[in-house]
Amino acid sequence: MRKPLAERPLTEPHPARLAPDHPHREGILSAHAEALATDRPGYLDPETGLFVLTAGFLARRGTCCGRGCRHCPYEA
């Protein structure tokens, strides 16, 4: 069963997953927005170099995996 999406834009991560005062927030959100705009499943984190899935990719999956993804679109 599909879960409902959280009531926030896919471009805005839950504050508990990416704090508003995170020192790399601007670069992270920029990389995420570019990946969303080009329909890529994710992007390389500008700080760690790790691959991070986009909210768009996670929303199309239809369910939360429960692993605390940065851009989880299901987190309330």
Side-chain angles (χ1 to χ4, degrees), residues 18-73:
L18 183 64
D21 62 349
H22 188 285
H24 300 282
R25 182 180 173 86
E26 187 176 319
I28 289 168
L29 293 181
S30 177
H32 181 250
E34 182 180 338
L36 282 175
T38 56
D39 203 30
R40 293 190 322 252
Y43 63 93
L44 294 179
D45 182 280
E47 180 182 13
T48 66
L50 297 173
F51 190 76
V52 180
L53 295 172
T54 67
F57 175 86
L58 296 169
R60 286 189 298 274
R61 241 185 14 193
T63 186
C64 176
C65 66
R67 294 186 179 153
C69 299
R70 175 184 286 163
H71 299 288
C72 182

